[in-house]
Amino acid sequence: MSSTAEAVKIVAPRPRGGIVQSVNDSLVVARRNLIRMTRIPEMILFGIIQPVMFVVLFTYVFGGSIAIPGAGVSAGAYKEFLMAGIFAQTVTFATAGAGAGIADDMHKGLIDRFRSLPMARGAVLTGRTLADLVQTAITLAVLAVVALLVGWRTHEGIGSVLAGFGLLLLLGYAFTWIGALIGLSVRTPEAATSGGLIWLFPLTFISNAFVPVNGMPTFLQHVAEWNPFSATVAAARELFGNTIPGVPQSVTGAWPMEHPVLASLIWSALIIVVFRTLAVRKYRRAA
């Protein structure tokens, strides 16, 4: 018995710290989801086709009819105004995919299997959101190439441009936690997809993404300029060098529009903290 006990002591792995275990478990789950994505390439393909269609349609259908303050009706000015909004819409629409994926895992009983394993409680959700972030980054890279092909240009250094894309991905990652909470709260992937999109449309369209805020009713101007989506769009435009000289950053004097980069960071961090906490709590109680 003593030799067996000694052998067990030798073979038993050394315990890992909570943070180390959580990181390792999250990376394992993320790898599992990335492998699944490569085996279902249409998931990535369809995720790319929709934003590309938005770029082409908005550029050539609305580009010659929407007046930009300080530039008038100009297809070239609208391209530079539009692209940050399209990029932001693309990363936030990943919310629906995250919610549907988690709801599908719940429906198939996979979440219950994960919960029975000795792994960090938040690792399943963190791994899923990290995998979605990788897919979003791929989509965003393809979309940037398409935007360049239709005439979009940046006017700042590479570091500033990369920082702009970094803020966009951070917003997308924050919104995937909202999708995770929705996926844990519904019964089917179809319901998660609908629940993930129904609130995104007013959020993205009541913003500065596609049309100037100054043309909206006064009460919507305030809503749009305090919209976290608008803050990231404005920050991306500033970092890309797509702002129009002489045009005020804010119509209503809203603080997020006067300091868009800082506001974008604050909004994204706040969304992650709040919705990650709620999602992990929901995961613990999910059946």
Side-chain angles (χ1 to χ4, degrees):
M1 292 292 292
S2 61
S3 60
T4 302
E6 290 177 2
V8 170
K9 288 180 180 180
I10 294 172
V11 173
R14 296 174 64 183
R16 296 177 292 178
I19 295 178
V20 174
Q21 180 179 358
S22 179
V23 170
N24 288 338
D25 291 345
S26 298
L27 292 177
V28 169
V29 175
R31 181 174 178 271
R32 172 255 175 191
N33 283 285
L34 289 173
I35 291 174
R36 180 170 177 265
M37 288 178 188
T38 60
R39 293 175 178 173
I40 312 176
E42 56 266 27
M43 291 175 60
I44 299 176
L45 181 62
F46 292 153
I48 292 174
I49 290 176
Q50 178 178 317
V52 168
M53 289 176 61
F54 271 111
V55 168
V56 175
L57 290 174
F58 272 83
T59 298
Y60 294 109
V61 175
F62 299 111
S65 58
I66 295 180
I68 306 299
V73 179
S74 167
Y78 187 66
K79 287 176 187 176
E80 297 198 354
F81 177 86
L82 170 70
M83 291 309 166
I86 293 289
F87 293 154
Q89 184 192 52
T90 299
V91 299
T92 54
F93 271 34
T95 301
I102 291 174
D104 187 49
D105 288 344
M106 286 281 293
H107 185 68
K108 294 177 179 178
L110 186 62
I111 295 294
D112 289 332
R113 286 180 239 168
F114 279 135
R115 282 162 49 121
S116 67
L117 297 174
M119 60 190 302
R121 293 181 179 181
V124 173
L125 302 181
T126 302
R128 174 76 207 196
T129 55
L130 288 175
D132 288 330
L133 179 62
V134 173
Q135 182 179 357
T136 301
I138 294 171
T139 303
L140 194 58
V142 174
L143 194 58
V145 173
V146 175
L148 290 171
L149 292 176
V150 299
W152 172 67
R153 296 293 181 267
T154 60
H155 307 286
E156 295 290 346
I158 185 65
S160 181
V161 172
L162 291 176
F165 282 114
L167 285 180
L168 289 165
L169 289 174
L170 181 62
L171 179 72
Y173 181 70
F175 273 56
T176 56
W177 281 106
I178 301 177
L181 180 61
I182 294 173
L184 291 168
S185 304
V186 299
R187 297 183 180 181
T188 64
E190 293 78 11
T193 301
S194 300
L197 290 175
I198 193 170
W199 59 274
L200 274 175
F201 280 103
L203 183 79
T204 55
F205 281 94
I206 305 177
S207 72
N208 60 356
F210 307 113
V211 295
V213 173
N214 67 309
M216 299 180 182
T218 303
F219 75 97
L220 282 184
Q221 290 178 357
H222 289 280
V223 173
E225 294 201 334
W226 281 95
N227 185 343
F229 184 83
S230 293
T232 300
V233 172
R237 285 191 185 123
E238 181 177 305
L239 293 169
F240 293 156
N242 290 153
T243 56
I244 300 174
V247 178
Q249 292 177 296
S250 173
V251 176
T252 66
W255 183 86
M257 294 297 99
E258 299 290 341
H259 308 85
V261 175
L262 180 58
S264 177
L265 289 170
I266 292 173
W267 275 120
S268 294
L270 185 62
I271 292 170
I272 291 172
V273 170
V274 171
F275 283 94
R276 187 184 189 281
T277 301
L278 294 175
V280 172
R281 184 179 301 173
K282 185 74 175 179
Y283 171 77
R284 292 174 181 172
R285 299 175 180 176

Short mmCIF file of all heavy atoms in Angstrom, two decimals, residues 167 208 224-236 256-257 259-261 263-265 267:
data_model
loop_
_atom_site.label_atom_id
_atom_site.label_comp_id
_atom_site.label_asym_id
_atom_site.label_seq_id
_atom_site.Cartn_x
_atom_site.Cartn_y
_atom_site.Cartn_z
N LEU A 167 -9.44 48.54 -31.82
CA LEU A 167 -10.65 48.99 -31.13
C LEU A 167 -11.90 48.31 -31.69
O LEU A 167 -12.82 47.96 -30.94
CB LEU A 167 -10.78 50.51 -31.25
CG LEU A 167 -9.87 51.36 -30.38
CD1 LEU A 167 -10.14 52.85 -30.63
CD2 LEU A 167 -10.05 51.05 -28.90
N ASN A 208 -23.79 56.93 -35.79
CA ASN A 208 -23.10 57.73 -36.81
C ASN A 208 -22.45 56.86 -37.88
O ASN A 208 -21.57 57.31 -38.59
CB ASN A 208 -22.04 58.60 -36.14
CG ASN A 208 -20.99 57.75 -35.41
OD1 ASN A 208 -21.10 56.52 -35.35
ND2 ASN A 208 -19.99 58.41 -34.85
N ALA A 224 -27.84 58.65 -30.44
CA ALA A 224 -26.78 58.18 -31.34
C ALA A 224 -25.40 58.53 -30.80
O ALA A 224 -24.47 57.71 -30.90
CB ALA A 224 -26.97 58.80 -32.73
N GLU A 225 -25.24 59.72 -30.22
CA GLU A 225 -23.91 60.12 -29.79
C GLU A 225 -23.50 59.53 -28.44
O GLU A 225 -22.32 59.59 -28.09
CB GLU A 225 -23.82 61.66 -29.78
CG GLU A 225 -23.94 62.24 -31.18
CD GLU A 225 -23.38 63.63 -31.31
OE1 GLU A 225 -23.34 64.37 -30.30
OE2 GLU A 225 -22.96 64.00 -32.43
N TRP A 226 -24.45 58.96 -27.70
CA TRP A 226 -24.10 58.22 -26.48
C TRP A 226 -24.14 56.71 -26.71
O TRP A 226 -24.01 55.94 -25.78
CB TRP A 226 -25.04 58.62 -25.34
CG TRP A 226 -24.65 59.93 -24.73
CD1 TRP A 226 -25.15 61.17 -25.03
CD2 TRP A 226 -23.67 60.13 -23.71
NE1 TRP A 226 -24.53 62.12 -24.27
CE2 TRP A 226 -23.62 61.52 -23.44
CE3 TRP A 226 -22.82 59.29 -22.99
CZ2 TRP A 226 -22.76 62.09 -22.49
CZ3 TRP A 226 -21.96 59.84 -22.05
CH2 TRP A 226 -21.94 61.22 -21.81
N ASN A 227 -24.33 56.32 -27.94
CA ASN A 227 -24.33 54.91 -28.32
C ASN A 227 -22.89 54.38 -28.31
O ASN A 227 -22.01 54.96 -28.96
CB ASN A 227 -24.93 54.80 -29.74
CG ASN A 227 -25.10 53.38 -30.21
OD1 ASN A 227 -24.50 52.46 -29.66
ND2 ASN A 227 -25.90 53.19 -31.24
N PRO A 228 -22.59 53.30 -27.59
CA PRO A 228 -21.22 52.76 -27.60
C PRO A 228 -20.73 52.38 -28.99
O PRO A 228 -19.54 52.47 -29.28
CB PRO A 228 -21.31 51.53 -26.68
CG PRO A 228 -22.76 51.22 -26.56
CD PRO A 228 -23.47 52.52 -26.72
N PHE A 229 -21.64 51.99 -29.84
CA PHE A 229 -21.30 51.68 -31.23
C PHE A 229 -20.76 52.92 -31.93
O PHE A 229 -19.76 52.87 -32.65
CB PHE A 229 -22.55 51.14 -31.93
CG PHE A 229 -22.33 50.68 -33.34
CD1 PHE A 229 -21.85 49.42 -33.61
CD2 PHE A 229 -22.62 51.52 -34.41
CE1 PHE A 229 -21.66 48.98 -34.91
CE2 PHE A 229 -22.43 51.10 -35.71
CZ PHE A 229 -21.94 49.83 -35.96
N SER A 230 -21.42 54.06 -31.71
CA SER A 230 -20.98 55.32 -32.33
C SER A 230 -19.60 55.73 -31.86
O SER A 230 -18.80 56.27 -32.64
CB SER A 230 -21.98 56.43 -32.02
OG SER A 230 -23.23 56.21 -32.62
N ALA A 231 -19.29 55.49 -30.59
CA ALA A 231 -17.98 55.87 -30.06
C ALA A 231 -16.87 55.13 -30.78
O ALA A 231 -15.83 55.72 -31.15
CB ALA A 231 -17.93 55.58 -28.56
N THR A 232 -17.07 53.84 -31.02
CA THR A 232 -16.04 53.06 -31.72
C THR A 232 -15.93 53.47 -33.18
O THR A 232 -14.83 53.52 -33.74
CB THR A 232 -16.34 51.56 -31.59
OG1 THR A 232 -16.35 51.19 -30.21
CG2 THR A 232 -15.29 50.73 -32.31
N VAL A 233 -17.06 53.76 -33.81
CA VAL A 233 -17.03 54.21 -35.21
C VAL A 233 -16.25 55.52 -35.30
O VAL A 233 -15.39 55.69 -36.17
CB VAL A 233 -18.46 54.38 -35.76
CG1 VAL A 233 -18.42 55.04 -37.14
CG2 VAL A 233 -19.16 53.03 -35.87
N ALA A 234 -16.55 56.46 -34.41
CA ALA A 234 -15.86 57.76 -34.43
C ALA A 234 -14.37 57.58 -34.13
O ALA A 234 -13.52 58.25 -34.75
CB ALA A 234 -16.49 58.70 -33.40
N ALA A 235 -14.04 56.68 -33.21
CA ALA A 235 -12.64 56.43 -32.88
C ALA A 235 -11.90 55.84 -34.07
O ALA A 235 -10.77 56.23 -34.38
CB ALA A 235 -12.54 55.49 -31.68
N ALA A 236 -12.55 54.90 -34.78
CA ALA A 236 -11.92 54.28 -35.95
C ALA A 236 -11.70 55.32 -37.04
O ALA A 236 -10.64 55.34 -37.68
CB ALA A 236 -12.78 53.13 -36.46
N PRO A 256 -18.60 61.29 -25.32
CA PRO A 256 -18.00 60.20 -26.10
C PRO A 256 -17.56 60.62 -27.50
O PRO A 256 -16.60 60.08 -28.03
CB PRO A 256 -19.13 59.15 -26.17
CG PRO A 256 -19.97 59.43 -24.99
CD PRO A 256 -19.94 60.92 -24.83
N MET A 257 -18.26 61.56 -28.10
CA MET A 257 -17.88 62.00 -29.44
C MET A 257 -16.71 62.97 -29.40
O MET A 257 -15.96 63.09 -30.38
CB MET A 257 -19.08 62.68 -30.12
CG MET A 257 -20.26 61.75 -30.41
SD MET A 257 -19.86 60.41 -31.56
CE MET A 257 -19.56 59.05 -30.41
N HIS A 259 -14.25 62.62 -27.19
CA HIS A 259 -13.10 61.78 -26.83
C HIS A 259 -13.39 60.33 -27.26
O HIS A 259 -13.52 59.44 -26.42
CB HIS A 259 -12.85 61.83 -25.32
CG HIS A 259 -12.74 63.23 -24.77
ND1 HIS A 259 -13.85 63.97 -24.40
CD2 HIS A 259 -11.65 64.03 -24.57
CE1 HIS A 259 -13.45 65.15 -23.97
NE2 HIS A 259 -12.13 65.22 -24.06
N PRO A 260 -13.51 60.08 -28.56
CA PRO A 260 -14.01 58.79 -29.03
C PRO A 260 -13.11 57.60 -28.70
O PRO A 260 -13.61 56.51 -28.40
CB PRO A 260 -14.14 58.99 -30.54
CG PRO A 260 -13.21 60.10 -30.87
CD PRO A 260 -13.23 61.00 -29.68
N VAL A 261 -11.79 57.77 -28.76
CA VAL A 261 -10.89 56.63 -28.50
C VAL A 261 -11.03 56.18 -27.05
O VAL A 261 -11.20 54.98 -26.77
CB VAL A 261 -9.43 57.01 -28.82
CG1 VAL A 261 -8.50 55.87 -28.42
CG2 VAL A 261 -9.27 57.33 -30.30
N ALA A 263 -13.52 56.86 -25.01
CA ALA A 263 -14.89 56.39 -24.79
C ALA A 263 -15.08 54.98 -25.32
O ALA A 263 -15.75 54.16 -24.69
CB ALA A 263 -15.87 57.35 -25.47
N SER A 264 -14.48 54.68 -26.47
CA SER A 264 -14.59 53.33 -27.03
C SER A 264 -13.98 52.30 -26.09
O SER A 264 -14.56 51.23 -25.86
CB SER A 264 -13.91 53.28 -28.40
OG SER A 264 -13.94 51.98 -28.93
N LEU A 265 -12.81 52.61 -25.55
CA LEU A 265 -12.16 51.69 -24.61
C LEU A 265 -13.02 51.48 -23.36
O LEU A 265 -13.18 50.34 -22.89
CB LEU A 265 -10.79 52.23 -24.22
CG LEU A 265 -9.70 52.17 -25.29
CD1 LEU A 265 -8.47 52.96 -24.84
CD2 LEU A 265 -9.30 50.73 -25.59
N TRP A 267 -16.35 51.96 -22.98
CA TRP A 267 -17.58 51.23 -23.30
C TRP A 267 -17.30 49.73 -23.46
O TRP A 267 -18.03 48.89 -22.93
CB TRP A 267 -18.21 51.77 -24.58
CG TRP A 267 -19.10 52.96 -24.43
CD1 TRP A 267 -18.94 54.19 -25.02
CD2 TRP A 267 -20.31 53.05 -23.67
NE1 TRP A 267 -19.97 55.02 -24.67
CE2 TRP A 267 -20.83 54.36 -23.84
CE3 TRP A 267 -21.00 52.15 -22.86
CZ2 TRP A 267 -22.01 54.78 -23.23
CZ3 TRP A 267 -22.18 52.58 -22.25
CH2 TRP A 267 -22.66 53.87 -22.44
#
